[in-house]
Amino acid sequence: MNKRTILSIICCIAVIYAFSQNKPKNVILMIGDGMGMAQVNTLYYLNPNSALWQFPYRGTSMTYCLSDSITDSAAGGSALSTGKKTTKGYIALNRDSTANETLMEWAIKQKMATGIVVTSAMTDATPASFYAHVPNRNQYEEIAKQFIYSNIDFAVGGYLNNFLPNKRKDKLNLIDSLERKGYQIIYSLEDLLKATDMKTVGLLSEKKPPKAAKRGNWLAEATRQALEKLAKDPQGFVLMIEGSQIDWACHVNDYKYFKQEILDFDRAIKVVYDFAKTNQETLVVVTADHECGGMTLSPRINNLSKEKAARYLVNYVLFSSLYHTNADVPVFSFGPGADNFQGKMNNIDIHDKIIRLINNR
Ligand code: MG
Ligand code: ZN
């Protein structure tokens, strides 16, 4: 073999290697509900060592929906899940009520494993956007019913009552239905840590899940469990993880509540980052469905040392609204194909890019 042949072989291998690097086998979509730029800037003060700063690519996402320039978690979640903008309050439905395929429905068709991990009700707008189709996000009983037929492999969230016959208007026992479908049902974080089955549904609170301070390490631990199980699937997996209550804290302009929730989400990001770094076949996208609270950092923070600013952050985080805003939200990406998530994007582009990357693998 002459020098030239060897060189071209090396070149070929390098190109194939570089190309294969852009083909993720698995996708993890992390949604900080209500997590805008300022929320992420605040995290920088709270945890300068966050794994999020290791994500090499950054972009922004426009969140407006079909009916309003300021979206909600139903239309916002649906855009990320289906790649279609819709009316406020709608879950994975068009304005004319025809269904849009969710990311999980699509993944199941590709024979991939699927997972959802949230700190809201399992039937709340964000998780619902990934498996249900209803014209009103408050149809929790209907959403719970649709969850039974979603075939999601691993799901952890709250609000068990939506599944219990004595708490539902139609008296259906959805826990029985889940068990008949082969799911192991988990009712506490403690039991979740011991869960062995791939097909697991964790409903860790009777009603609305508690705040981070009383929840324990639910999000990070459920994420760890999800990854352990889903990674076994040879066809790859799609996992959606939501820091649900960042939004709730910003609605009530409660900095201390917000701080606990963003740090809770940050712990889940760390688990995901560590997994993806070793796994090397997993694309991770961290973004939000919309901003909430119109959060800003006061200019009075200027010239303060980082340590001092972090300690007294409560005095510098300002809110300008009790509702959502239409401010662009950040997009952080890591892993094969992550370079596709740069610049100014529309929320529906995030869905389309994920589908394209998995289709081309
Ligand atoms: Mg949500
Ligand atoms: Zn909200």
Side-chain angles (χ1 to χ4, degrees):
M1 244 189 280
N2 63 26
K3 243 188 190 166
R4 222 166 150 180
T5 321
I6 295 172
L7 206 68
S8 51
I9 289 172
I10 292 173
C11 267
C12 253
I13 292 170
V15 168
I16 290 167
Y17 179 73
F19 200 60
S20 67
Q21 291 301 292
N22 285 322
K23 292 182 172 185
K25 178 183 172 189
N26 316 307
V27 177
I28 304 173
L29 176 61
M30 300 190 74
I31 302 175
D33 198 316
M35 187 184 75
M37 300 288 182
Q39 282 82 350
V40 166
N41 288 347
T42 305
L43 176 64
Y44 181 69
Y45 287 102
L46 294 170
N47 184 8
N49 301 316
S50 168
L52 196 54
W53 320 135
Q54 303 299 320
F55 283 51
Y57 299 102
R58 318 261 167 108
T60 57
S61 162
M62 293 186 284
T63 65
Y64 67 89
C65 69
L66 208 55
S67 55
D68 298 81
S69 63
I70 299 177
T71 194
D72 72 332
S73 292
S78 296
L80 292 167
S81 169
T82 70
K84 302 270 189 323
K85 294 215 182 239
T86 190
T87 305
K88 234 160 117 172
Y90 277 43
I91 302 281
L93 280 185
N94 276 313
R95 202 156 26 184
D96 64 4
S97 289
T98 51
N100 290 321
E101 186 176 58
T102 68
L103 189 62
M104 298 307 169
E105 288 166 338
W106 175 84
I108 289 166
K109 271 196 198 160
Q110 318 304 310
K111 309 227 177 322
M112 298 171 84
T114 51
I116 292 179
V117 173
V118 300
T119 49
S120 64
M122 197 61 234
T123 50
D124 213 77
T126 313
S129 300
F130 286 79
Y131 64 80
H133 304 272
V134 291
N136 182 342
R137 59 181 284 175
N138 298 323
Q139 291 173 276
Y140 298 124
E141 293 198 355
E142 174 59 26
I143 293 170
K145 222 159 91 185
Q146 293 189 17
F147 177 78
I148 306 302
Y149 302 102
S150 70
N151 290 319
I152 307 281
D153 294 303
F154 185 96
V156 172
Y159 225 114
L160 168 68
N161 285 356
N162 282 325
F163 296 78
L164 295 180
N166 55 343
K167 304 286 178 190
R168 290 177 58 90
K169 284 197 195 84
D170 59 13
K171 305 290 175 204
L172 284 176
N173 188 336
L174 300 185
I175 295 297
D176 271 2
S177 312
L178 281 169
E179 278 173 346
R180 271 199 303 275
K181 294 206 79 177
Y183 285 101
Q184 170 186 29
I185 316 290
I186 304 284
Y187 303 98
S188 71
L189 180 57
E190 204 188 357
D191 288 341
L192 181 71
L193 300 179
K194 294 179 273 179
T196 47
D197 294 13
M198 163 79 144
K199 281 178 82 84
T200 295
V201 173
L203 293 163
L204 307 187
S205 65
E206 280 175 16
K207 294 182 176 177
K208 206 168 141 176
K211 294 177 179 179
K214 289 197 174 152
R215 216 163 49 223
N217 210 11
W218 157 339
L219 193 63
E221 290 302 344
T223 297
R224 204 187 307 277
Q225 286 283 330
L227 292 172
E228 202 176 281
K229 292 175 175 66
L230 298 176
K232 287 183 184 142
D233 194 299
Q235 308 285 337
F237 67 84
V238 176
L239 171 63
M240 191 283 282
I241 300 160
E242 186 200 20
S244 317
Q245 298 193 29
I246 296 169
D247 180 70
W248 305 357
C250 291
H251 273 295
V252 290
N253 292 182
D254 182 337
Y255 170 75
K256 280 184 186 151
Y257 181 13
F258 161 75
K259 177 182 165 183
Q260 296 304 319
E261 293 300 334
I262 194 104
L263 287 172
D264 184 66
F265 189 51
D266 187 46
R267 282 191 293 274
I269 294 173
K270 169 86 173 121
V271 172
V272 165
Y273 176 76
D274 288 346
F275 168 85
K277 205 174 158 195
T278 336
N279 173 273
Q280 294 196 354
E281 293 181 306
T282 305
L283 166 68
V284 185
V285 179
V286 180
T287 188
D289 48 357
H290 52 72
E291 198 276 339
C292 181
M295 187 190 277
T296 184
L297 288 173
S298 161
R300 290 190 296 116
I301 208 163
N302 188 29
N303 292 336
L304 277 186
S305 71
K306 244 186 238 135
E307 293 70 29
K308 219 168 181 181
R311 197 162 345 130
Y312 301 108
L313 211 51
V314 61
N315 301 320
Y316 302 107
V317 170
L318 308 175
F319 294 93
S320 63
S321 168
L322 290 164
Y323 303 99
H324 303 164
T325 70
N326 73 347
D328 285 3
V329 293
V331 182
F332 292 80
S333 53
F334 177 86
D339 56 318
N340 289 278
F341 298 81
Q342 300 183 77
K344 191 170 173 74
M345 287 170 274
N346 213 317
N347 53 5
I348 50 175
D349 300 338
I350 295 171
H351 164 274
D352 294 354
K353 286 171 194 284
I354 290 173
I355 300 274
R356 210 175 309 133
L357 283 163
I358 293 284
N359 270 338
N360 291 337
R361 66 189 173 149

Coordinates of all heavy atoms in Angstrom, one line a residue, residues 1 10-11 19 38 59 99 106 118 123 142 160 176 211 236 253 276 279 284 287 298 312 317:
M1 N 0.8 -1.2 0.0 CA 0.0 0.0 0.0 C 0.9 1.3 0.0 O 1.8 1.4 0.8 CB -0.9 0.0 1.3 CG -2.4 -0.1 0.9 SD -3.4 0.2 2.4 CE -3.3 -1.5 3.1
I10 N -7.4 6.4 5.9 CA -7.5 7.1 7.2 C -8.6 8.2 7.1 O -9.4 8.4 7.9 CB -6.2 7.7 7.6 CG1 -5.2 6.6 8.0 CG2 -6.3 8.7 8.8 CD1 -3.8 7.0 8.2
C11 N -8.6 8.9 5.9 CA -9.5 10.0 5.7 C -11.0 9.4 5.7 O -11.9 10.0 6.4 CB -9.3 10.7 4.3 SG -8.2 12.1 4.5
F19 N -19.3 11.2 10.8 CA -20.7 11.0 10.4 C -21.5 10.3 11.4 O -22.6 10.6 11.8 CB -20.8 10.4 9.0 CG -22.0 10.6 8.3 CD1 -22.4 11.9 8.0 CD2 -22.9 9.6 7.9 CE1 -23.6 12.2 7.3 CE2 -24.0 9.8 7.2 CZ -24.4 11.1 6.9
A38 N -33.5 34.1 32.1 CA -33.1 34.6 33.4 C -33.1 33.5 34.4 O -32.3 33.4 35.3 CB -34.1 35.7 33.9
G59 N -28.9 27.5 21.6 CA -29.7 28.2 20.7 C -30.9 28.8 21.5 O -30.9 28.8 22.7
A99 N -56.0 14.7 15.4 CA -54.9 14.4 16.2 C -53.6 14.6 15.5 O -53.4 14.3 14.3 CB -55.0 13.0 16.7
W106 N -44.8 8.3 17.9 CA -43.8 8.2 16.8 C -42.7 7.2 17.1 O -42.4 6.3 16.4 CB -43.2 9.5 16.4 CG -42.2 9.4 15.3 CD1 -42.3 9.4 14.0 CD2 -40.8 9.3 15.6 NE1 -41.1 9.3 13.4 CE2 -40.1 9.2 14.3 CE3 -40.0 9.4 16.7 CZ2 -38.8 9.1 14.2 CZ3 -38.6 9.3 16.6 CH2 -38.0 9.2 15.3
V118 N -41.8 13.2 35.3 CA -42.2 14.6 35.6 C -42.4 14.8 37.1 O -42.6 13.8 37.9 CB -43.5 15.0 34.9 CG1 -43.3 14.9 33.4 CG2 -44.7 14.1 35.3
T123 N -50.9 13.5 34.5 CA -51.9 14.0 33.5 C -51.8 15.5 33.2 O -52.7 16.0 32.6 CB -53.3 13.7 34.1 OG1 -53.4 14.1 35.4 CG2 -53.6 12.2 34.1
E142 N -60.0 12.0 31.4 CA -59.9 11.5 30.0 C -58.4 11.3 29.7 O -58.0 10.3 29.1 CB -60.5 12.5 29.0 CG -60.3 12.2 27.6 CD -60.9 10.8 27.1 OE1 -61.8 10.3 27.8 OE2 -60.3 10.2 26.1
L160 N -52.0 10.2 41.7 CA -52.6 8.8 41.6 C -54.2 8.9 41.6 O -54.8 8.0 40.9 CB -52.2 8.1 42.9 CG -52.8 6.7 43.2 CD1 -52.5 5.7 42.2 CD2 -52.4 6.3 44.6
D176 N -56.1 -1.1 37.8 CA -56.3 -2.5 37.4 C -56.0 -2.6 35.9 O -55.3 -3.6 35.5 CB -57.8 -2.8 37.6 CG -58.0 -3.4 38.9 OD1 -57.1 -3.5 39.7 OD2 -59.2 -3.8 39.2
K211 N -43.8 20.2 46.8 CA -42.6 21.0 46.3 C -41.4 20.2 46.5 O -41.3 19.3 47.3 CB -42.6 22.3 47.1 CG -43.7 23.3 46.9 CD -43.6 24.5 47.8 CE -44.7 25.4 47.5 NZ -44.7 26.6 48.4
G236 N -33.0 1.6 20.9 CA -32.9 3.0 21.4 C -34.2 3.4 22.1 O -35.1 2.7 22.2
N253 N -44.3 34.0 41.9 CA -43.1 34.9 42.1 C -42.4 34.6 43.4 O -42.0 35.5 44.1 CB -43.6 36.4 42.1 CG -44.1 36.9 40.7 OD1 -44.5 38.0 40.6 ND2 -44.1 36.0 39.7
A276 N -25.2 10.3 29.3 CA -24.9 10.6 27.9 C -23.5 10.7 27.5 O -23.0 10.2 26.5 CB -25.6 11.9 27.5
N279 N -22.4 7.0 27.5 CA -23.1 6.3 26.5 C -22.8 6.6 25.1 O -22.7 5.8 24.2 CB -24.7 6.5 26.7 CG -25.5 5.9 25.7 OD1 -25.8 6.5 24.7 ND2 -25.9 4.6 25.9
V284 N -29.0 14.8 23.9 CA -29.7 15.5 25.0 C -30.1 16.9 24.6 O -29.2 17.7 24.2 CB -28.9 15.5 26.3 CG1 -29.8 16.0 27.4 CG2 -28.4 14.1 26.6
T287 N -34.5 22.3 27.1 CA -35.2 23.6 26.8 C -36.4 23.8 27.7 O -36.5 23.2 28.7 CB -35.6 23.5 25.2 OG1 -36.0 24.8 24.9 CG2 -36.7 22.5 24.9
S298 N -31.8 41.9 38.7 CA -31.7 43.4 38.9 C -30.3 43.9 38.5 O -29.3 43.2 38.8 CB -32.0 43.7 40.4 OG -31.4 44.9 40.7
Y312 N -27.0 36.4 48.1 CA -28.1 37.3 48.3 C -29.1 37.4 47.1 O -29.7 38.4 46.9 CB -27.6 38.7 48.7 CG -26.8 38.7 49.9 CD1 -25.4 38.9 49.9 CD2 -27.4 38.5 51.2 CE1 -24.6 38.8 51.0 CE2 -26.6 38.5 52.3 CZ -25.2 38.6 52.3 OH -24.5 38.6 53.4
V317 N -33.3 38.8 42.1 CA -34.2 38.1 41.2 C -35.6 38.9 41.2 O -36.2 38.9 42.3 CB -34.4 36.6 41.5 CG1 -35.5 36.0 40.6 CG2 -33.1 35.9 41.2

